[in-house]
Amino acid sequence: MKAFLSLSLAMARGLARDRAAVFFTMIFPLMFLMLFGALFKDQGVGKSEIVQVGAVKVLDDMPDKERAGLRDVLEVEKTDGSAAARKEALEKVRKGDADAAVFQRDGKVQLRYSAADQVRSGTVQGLLDSIVQQANQRATGQPPAFAMHSGSVEDESTKPIQFLTPGLLGWAVAMGGVFGSAFNLVSWRRKRILRRLWLAPINARAVVGARIGVNLITAFAQTAIFLTVASLPYYGLKLTGHWWLCLPLVACGTLAFMSIGLLVGSFAKTEEAANGLAQIVILPMAFLSGAFFPLDSAPQWVRTVSEFLPLKHLSQAMQDVLSRGESWGAALPVMGGLLLFAAVLTLIASRLFRWDAA
């Protein structure tokens, strides 16, 4: 126990004195949370801008009540019906200065949009289709046979920070686990500290336990800082009743990513090589796991690959317990999977482990 405490204290002091390590472990991920939280804080439905070329009956005859209802989501710029005006309108759409151009030909409403921005084009198509359907109903005098009312399954007060926090926190835990163990292992090997520990009357379990303890404390500190900042009124994170389940998830995630760091540090010979290998692992995983953005519209192969990445399951489970009100049913399977992943990679790393650089 004395050796364990001494090693833990030495490792903690070494981390605290390494300003670069503190920055990339604590401050760098927090900067992403603060930046993304501020950027998407007031995210709402954007206003679509269309250019109306000449007379378009469904737009010109729109009742004032309907026009007022669309004012917050649709802005119409009217031009004359000349060929030059039509050409200019289409050019504005190509350049992205307008979302669509609309004109009427042979009694049909013609809509022209750019395929370069499928989100905006889809939105403006939906708006124009709704306007045309309402005009058809007025023309026939028949009320609609069916009506649809849509809404989010979450509370209307749900903000993007509810989904940003779990993903970015998972990424921060992954960075701390991989870089902390890989860098430390390579550095100690190059400085021959590992060799001294090997020859010293210290149990190997004390060394491993101290490293795990320091990484867990660091991960819990990251979690506390993230949740405190995200819960500020400016960002508005609202924690669910089982939010505390993120703590065992963070612990299991730390062990899983430490095993990746041990594998990297087992065969990397220099700190530069360890840094490069860790970057190759963490950065693609962060994007492919949906830590920065959802994967709903990603290609199928990306979603298939993400199912094999531990960060994807860690971020999703933390989102379940932090934002969606889920409990042990969402956390336990992921915790078991992360621990199994950690055990397998640690076993592989132990086969490659070297006490000395020689």
Side-chain angles (χ1 to χ4, degrees), residues 181-201:
S181 52
F183 244 73
N184 197 261
L185 187 57
V186 173
S187 176
W188 280 22
R189 184 186 296 119
R190 283 175 58 84
K191 296 175 181 177
R192 303 181 73 85
I193 296 176
L194 282 181
R195 182 175 177 83
R196 295 191 191 109
L197 291 173
W198 181 32
L199 298 175

Side-chain angles (χ1 to χ4, degrees), residues 243-257:
W243 68 269
W244 54 269
L245 283 174
C246 73
L247 298 177
L249 281 168
V250 165
C252 294
T254 299
L255 295 176
F257 289 105

Side-chain angles (χ1 to χ4, degrees), residues 28-356:
F28 187 62
L30 186 62
M31 289 170 57
F32 275 79
L33 175 70
M34 297 173 69
L35 176 62
F36 288 169
L39 288 176
F40 300 110
K41 177 175 178 290
D42 299 318
Q43 189 181 38
V45 179
K47 181 179 288 189
S48 299
E49 299 180 7
I50 65 173
V51 180
Q52 176 185 337
V53 182
V56 179
K57 192 173 179 61
V58 295
L59 293 176
D60 294 335
D61 296 345
M62 189 186 307
D64 293 338
K65 185 177 180 180
E66 292 182 13
R67 193 182 302 276
L70 292 172
R71 193 165 295 156
D72 292 334
V73 295
L74 183 65
E75 183 176 336
V76 181
E77 177 188 347
K78 292 185 178 181
T79 64
D80 60 68
S82 64
R86 181 178 302 178
K87 183 178 180 181
E88 183 180 354
L90 294 176
E91 188 62 25
K92 290 182 70 173
V93 176
R94 289 192 188 95
K95 292 181 177 179
D97 296 330
D99 297 323
V102 60
F103 53 90
Q104 189 166 337
R105 179 187 293 173
D106 300 328
K108 295 183 178 180
V109 177
Q110 306 285 335
L111 179 69
R112 298 292 182 268
Y113 56 87
S114 173
D117 192 336
Q118 296 185 6
V119 175
R120 284 185 170 272
S121 62
T123 300
V124 77
Q125 285 182 82
L127 286 171
L128 263 295
D129 181 69
S130 174
I131 293 172
V132 171
Q133 294 301 325
Q134 290 176 353
N136 287 331
Q137 292 168 13
R138 289 195 302 271
T140 60
Q142 297 293 326
F146 303 97
M148 181 180 71
H149 298 278
S150 60
S152 171
V153 296
E154 292 86 8
D155 187 83
E156 291 183 358
S157 62
T158 299
K159 300 178 181 179
I161 195 68
Q162 300 288 142
F163 308 101
L164 288 172
T165 304
L168 293 175
L169 177 56
W171 172 59
V173 170
M175 283 186 60
V178 174
F179 282 91
S181 52
F183 244 73
N184 197 261
L185 187 57
V186 173
S187 176
W188 280 22
R189 184 186 296 119
R190 283 175 58 84
K191 296 175 181 177
R192 303 181 73 85
I193 296 176
L194 282 181
R195 182 175 177 83
R196 295 191 191 109
L197 291 173
W198 181 32
L199 298 175
I202 299 176
N203 194 313
R205 285 176 294 184
V207 180
V208 175
R211 183 69 259 175
I212 291 175
V214 171
N215 272 57
L216 286 175
I217 291 173
T218 302
F220 290 145
Q222 287 177 319
T223 303
I225 294 172
F226 259 70
L227 297 184
T228 299
V229 172
S231 299
L232 293 174
Y234 179 78
Y235 295 109
L237 174 67
K238 294 184 179 179
L239 299 174
T240 64
H242 294 91
W243 68 269
W244 54 269
L245 283 174
C246 73
L247 298 177
L249 281 168
V250 165
C252 294
T254 299
L255 295 176
F257 289 105
M258 279 188 68
S259 68
I260 297 177
L262 289 174
L263 186 61
V264 170
S266 294
F267 55 81
K269 296 182 178 180
T270 64
E271 287 89 341
E272 291 78 10
N275 178 60
L277 289 171
Q279 293 283 7
I280 290 174
V281 172
I282 289 299
L283 282 181
M285 187 186 297
F287 286 101
L288 293 175
S289 298
F292 297 126
F293 51 82
L295 299 177
D296 298 336
S297 58
Q300 181 59 45
W301 70 267
V302 174
R303 284 178 281 171
T304 301
V305 170
S306 71
E307 293 298 324
F308 297 93
L309 302 176
L311 182 53
K312 189 257 187 181
H313 298 285
L314 175 62
S315 299
Q316 184 172 325
M318 286 207 292
Q319 187 175 108
D320 289 338
V321 300
L322 285 174
S323 302
R324 293 174 174 162
E326 297 289 338
S327 185
W328 287 103
L332 276 178
V334 175
M335 290 164 60
L338 291 172
L339 292 177
L340 178 62
F341 179 88
V344 172
L345 258 68
T346 300
L347 180 61
I348 297 173
S350 67
R351 303 292 183 182
L352 302 172
F353 181 78
R354 302 187 312 275
W355 287 95
D356 206 329

